[in-house]
Amino acid sequence: MARWTVLLVLQASLLLPRPASSARSPSLRFVVLGDWGGVPNAPFHTAREMANAKEIARTVAIMGADFILSTGDNFYFTGVHNSDDKRFQETFEDVFSDPALRNVPWYVLAGNHDHLGNVSAQIAYSKVSKRWNFPSLFYRLHFKIPRTNMSVAIFMLDTVTLCGNSDDFLSQQPERPRDLTLARTQMSWLKKQLAAAKEDYVLVAGHYPVWSIAEHGPTRCLVKHLRPLLAKYGVTAYLCGHDHNLQYLLDESGVGYVLSGAGNFMDPSVRHQRKVPNGYLRFHYGAEDSLGGFAYVEMGPKEMAVTYIEASGKSLFKTSLPRRPRA
Ligand SMILES: *[C@@H]1O[C@H](CO)[C@@H](O)[C@H](O)[C@H]1NC(C)=O
Ligand SMILES: *[C@@H]1O[C@H](CO)[C@@H](O)[C@H](O)[C@H]1NC(C)=O
């Protein structure tokens, strides 16, 4: 009897997925999820948010993930009131509750809907939850790729204070920042950081897209002010949400644009197709009957692989971007 038990335990441990960093080729792995923030009435989540949470948990259990990056619109439709707001429980903790996600940190930025409420409360929630990390409106993340000497910088932006707020159900463009000094401070911080960044991969993340063929289209303010910086400083990719679908675009300077805004809603609109330069769009998925999806990123010694995964579990599209040349 005792011997049987030992055997069973041994077999069970062989079946368990091994930790990502030791079992697989060296890489830093993360999920990019946007526009996932549920609804303000019971049950405070949507079928798509639930389906995404389930598929993210499955992906993390099989493939591993070092973190989850939120591209904003964390709480529909008007953010949260304070750091005790029940929505943190109802729309975040109770939805992303799978044991596979228990110890996976989130790095968070705010979207236009979050800015209709109290973003300071979302920042303050970092002290309440052990996995919610939102240290300030804009901030820098730095990672080592496990078992390599490669490193990754991610600059988390607040594109709403940078460009202005907008009502996304009226498909407005953000026109101007409410606080010009804050917008300028953020822009000069970003320029300084990008100019100094020596990492093997540099990513910039924000809520509004630079390029999008969908309902909101390209964000003029970012095309004008951010896009030249991405090219000038050899940024690997820009990660965003806002439009409720999945897109991948690549410009002639080699910057990749990962739009992941399918966490809660799906919108098939392609009304700004002609506002994006010819040849940039590589992938678009906005099927209305889809349960949404997210992007899964693996940053290895040579390249950054991006896979778009539908909440049903289907791999929709896969691409890769090269590591920056070393000086
Ligand atoms: C925003 O949230 C913070 C943290 O809970 C709280 O201290 C502050 O009073 C809130 N602001 C407003 C205007 O409610
Ligand atoms: C990083 O590692 C590679 C191979 O593992 C090695 O060739 C290179 O010299 C190392 N670079 C630095 C800066 O340590």
Side-chain angles (χ1 to χ4, degrees):
M1 200 59 202
R3 215 164 134 182
W4 265 112
T5 313
V6 170
L7 263 172
L8 284 171
V9 168
L10 257 173
Q11 289 200 337
S13 72
L14 289 175
L15 293 173
L16 286 174
R18 282 182 282 169
S21 56
S22 67
R24 312 179 130 262
S25 58
S27 66
L28 180 79
R29 297 146 202 276
F30 61 97
V31 167
V32 185
L33 178 69
D35 302 79
W36 52 271
V39 282
N41 44 288
F44 306 102
H45 53 74
T46 60
R48 287 197 187 90
E49 193 198 353
M50 293 301 279
N52 272 299
K54 195 172 164 202
E55 183 56 26
I56 289 170
R58 204 179 71 93
T59 303
V60 169
I62 298 170
M63 311 277 286
D66 297 285
F67 57 92
I68 294 168
L69 190 155
S70 168
T71 56
D73 280 359
N74 310 319
F75 300 97
Y76 287 106
F77 292 97
T78 55
V80 293
H81 293 110
N82 52 53
S83 56
D84 302 324
D85 199 306
K86 285 199 178 71
R87 293 293 303 282
F88 286 112
Q89 198 62 41
E90 295 158 340
T91 297
F92 174 60
E93 305 289 358
D94 291 349
V95 176
F96 298 92
S97 59
D98 191 286
L101 302 179
R102 198 174 295 143
N103 297 316
V104 181
W106 285 57
Y107 294 103
V108 179
L109 56 78
N112 52 306
H113 285 276
D114 301 306
H115 274 281
L116 297 176
N118 185 346
V119 175
S120 305
Q122 291 198 35
I123 291 172
Y125 189 66
S126 305
K127 294 209 166 66
V128 179
S129 164
K130 75 173 170 41
R131 56 180 174 162
W132 182 270
N133 297 282
F134 190 177
S136 54
L137 275 182
F138 50 92
Y139 58 99
R140 170 185 179 269
L141 294 167
H142 175 91
F143 301 95
K144 287 257 178 263
I145 299 179
R147 295 185 293 130
T148 71
N149 56 17
M150 308 276 166
S151 56
V152 178
I154 308 181
F155 297 102
M156 302 286 278
L157 300 185
D158 188 84
T159 55
V160 178
T161 53
L162 195 62
C163 294
N165 209 332
S166 63
D167 182 332
D168 64 23
F169 293 99
L170 292 176
S171 39
Q172 289 168 350
Q173 277 281 325
E175 294 300 342
R176 69 193 61 79
R178 191 184 292 172
D179 178 344
L180 207 54
T181 310
L182 179 60
R184 285 186 181 135
T185 304
Q186 184 175 182
M187 210 31 136
S188 56
W189 168 83
L190 180 66
K191 272 184 206 160
K192 214 178 276 171
Q193 292 285 332
L194 288 178
K198 297 276 186 290
E199 283 84 355
D200 299 287
Y201 297 92
V202 173
L203 307 180
V204 175
H207 180 64
Y208 292 144
V210 174
W211 300 116
S212 166
I213 66 158
E215 181 64 20
H216 303 108
T219 308
R220 286 194 293 266
C221 154
L222 296 180
V223 171
K224 188 169 171 198
H225 300 292
L226 178 62
R227 191 209 175 197
L229 299 181
L230 303 179
K232 177 174 179 186
Y233 295 112
V235 168
T236 314
Y238 178 69
L239 317 174
C240 68
H242 194 49
D243 263 322
H244 297 156
N245 48 55
L246 301 169
Q247 295 178 54
Y248 181 70
L249 305 100
L250 182 68
D251 73 13
E252 59 281 307
S253 61
V255 179
Y257 296 87
V258 176
L259 191 157
S260 177
N264 204 59
F265 305 109
M266 275 304 248
D267 179 352
S269 167
V270 293
R271 67 185 271 200
H272 289 91
Q273 211 155 19
R274 293 210 184 86
K275 295 279 167 64
V276 172
N278 263 337
Y280 280 19
L281 185 71
R282 303 300 168 104
F283 165 73
H284 167 263
Y285 186 73
E288 227 165 352
D289 61 358
S290 160
L291 284 171
F294 54 90
Y296 180 73
V297 177
E298 296 165 89
M299 314 202 69
K302 294 205 182 75
E303 59 176 34
M304 160 178 171
V306 185
T307 309
Y308 289 79
I309 301 175
E310 196 181 33
S312 66
K314 193 159 103 192
S315 274
L316 296 167
F317 177 74
K318 186 163 183 169
T319 190
S320 66
L321 287 156
R323 170 167 72 78
R324 303 164 92 211
R326 284 197 153 174

